[in-house]
Amino acid sequence: MTEPVVDTASSLAARTITPVALPRHRWGRHDAPARALVVHGLGSNGPSTWRICAALADRGWLVEAVDLRGHGLAPRSLDYRVEAYAADLLATRPVPSAIDTRGSWDLVVGHSLGGAATAVAAAADPRWTAALVLLDPAIALDDHDAETIRASQEAAFADNTAASVRAKNPEWHPLDVELKVQAVSQASRWAIEQTSEQNHPWDVRPAATSLRNPTFVIASDPEVYSLVRGPLAAQILANRQVSLTVIQGAGHNVHRDRPAETTKAIGDWAELQLEQRSRHEV
């Protein structure tokens, strides 16, 4: 029987949450020396992060992407608080191998909702991962952002066709278009709606500002659309563990809008973290 996870890094009172087992999708060699977990955003699924996963695998990493609860092939639930998503992630550990029996990740990459859940998980247990990359994370949403996200999700369910996705995102790779349609078809509409309702007001700043792991925030361009901007960006950067870059010309889906720039930024920073850790361990 799975032991419950107690969330201790939330603006809410500590609560006991029973995690669900998340389906995994894997890229890279089983004997790779470094392991990464990639976490998708609201309304997506693990395969939709393929550009990030493939790019890290090409650099020699073993990479796993998960389907979050209510998404993809993952179990459904009644609980869609960010803390519940985080509990599932904390229960998701690298599979032990003959050369690596550690129970922690070298890197976790999270986009949007996945970035918020990743921040909450890492704040609750810094041993879960050595480093974090947060892609335009949903740290705190004002009413405008919340309504924009709600309307976007409703539109995706209302017209889930390749033609519609391509018309809205003409620069996306054909696989991103294909996988967006797949992700929406697999997701629970009720789960998506409840994620917005159960997290109102949406605010995981207590977790983001208390992170003790090296954290790299990759924000989208505020001139296009970004969840990390202005006072919120300044508040996150007050944590000395956090650094930030902006991908010019990218909207919220930075890994789809500007994949080359985004994957290079992730890979270069991740390799730097590995080098620094190796020097400290010598």
Side-chain angles (χ1 to χ4, degrees):
M1 181 176 178
T2 305
E3 292 295 325
V5 172
V6 178
D7 165 52
T8 59
S10 168
S11 57
L12 303 175
R15 305 177 186 184
T16 300
I17 301 169
T18 302
V20 302
L22 303 180
R24 303 186 187 206
H25 312 270
R26 180 174 291 177
W27 289 255
R29 295 168 55 94
H30 289 266
D31 59 352
R35 301 182 177 198
L37 175 68
V38 181
V39 188
H40 65 80
L42 186 68
S44 290
N45 61 7
S48 70
T49 64
W50 69 280
R51 292 295 283 264
I52 300 168
C53 300
L56 284 172
D58 287 345
R59 288 178 179 246
W61 291 68
L62 175 63
V63 189
E64 295 188 66
V66 290
D67 295 338
L68 292 172
R69 62 169 59 200
H71 296 71
L73 303 178
R76 276 34 177 169
S77 172
L78 293 176
D79 191 349
Y80 289 99
R81 291 170 296 150
V82 173
E83 291 78 19
Y85 285 110
D88 297 341
L89 294 177
L90 281 176
T92 304
R93 303 281 175 160
V95 177
S97 69
I99 63 171
D100 190 347
T101 59
R102 292 171 299 164
S104 61
W105 300 97
D106 295 291
L107 176 71
V108 177
V109 181
H111 173 242
S112 193
L113 162 64
T118 292
V120 171
D125 184 1
R127 298 165 299 178
W128 173 62
T129 182
L132 304 171
V133 173
L134 307 179
L135 304 178
D136 210 43
I139 300 301
L141 304 181
D142 60 23
D143 290 342
H144 171 73
D145 289 330
E147 176 57 26
T148 298
I149 291 170
R150 185 198 64 76
S152 174
Q153 294 298 327
E154 284 191 356
F157 281 107
D159 187 9
N160 185 32
T161 63
S164 176
V165 174
R166 191 179 303 111
K168 295 174 184 175
N169 307 282
E171 296 184 0
W172 281 15
H173 191 283
L175 281 177
D176 284 318
V177 173
E178 173 187 320
L179 289 168
K180 176 61 177 177
V181 173
Q182 179 200 73
V184 173
S185 68
Q186 289 181 339
S188 161
R189 185 167 187 165
W190 186 83
I192 304 303
E193 293 170 349
Q194 287 299 305
T195 299
S196 294
E197 291 186 16
Q198 294 182 23
N199 291 288
H200 185 74
W202 187 299
D203 190 349
V204 300
R205 280 176 293 181
T209 56
S210 66
L211 288 168
R212 287 177 278 170
N213 311 79
T215 301
F216 187 31
V217 176
I218 300 179
S220 56
D221 190 340
E223 294 297 320
V224 181
Y225 183 75
S226 178
L227 294 181
V228 182
R229 61 188 187 272
L232 175 60
Q235 191 170 5
I236 294 171
L237 284 171
N239 182 340
R240 293 184 178 181
Q241 292 288 352
V242 179
S243 58
L244 182 146
T245 192
V246 174
I247 302 295
Q248 298 297 324
H252 178 58
N253 290 287
V254 289
H255 54 302
R256 293 166 171 144
D257 291 353
R258 294 291 185 271
E261 297 93 324
T262 302
T263 56
K264 185 179 187 305
I266 295 171
D268 289 351
W269 186 85
E271 288 184 354
L272 178 61
Q273 300 309 305
L274 288 178
E275 291 173 7
Q276 293 177 344
R277 285 173 56 200
S278 296
R279 286 199 296 268
H280 292 155
E281 291 170 359
V282 172

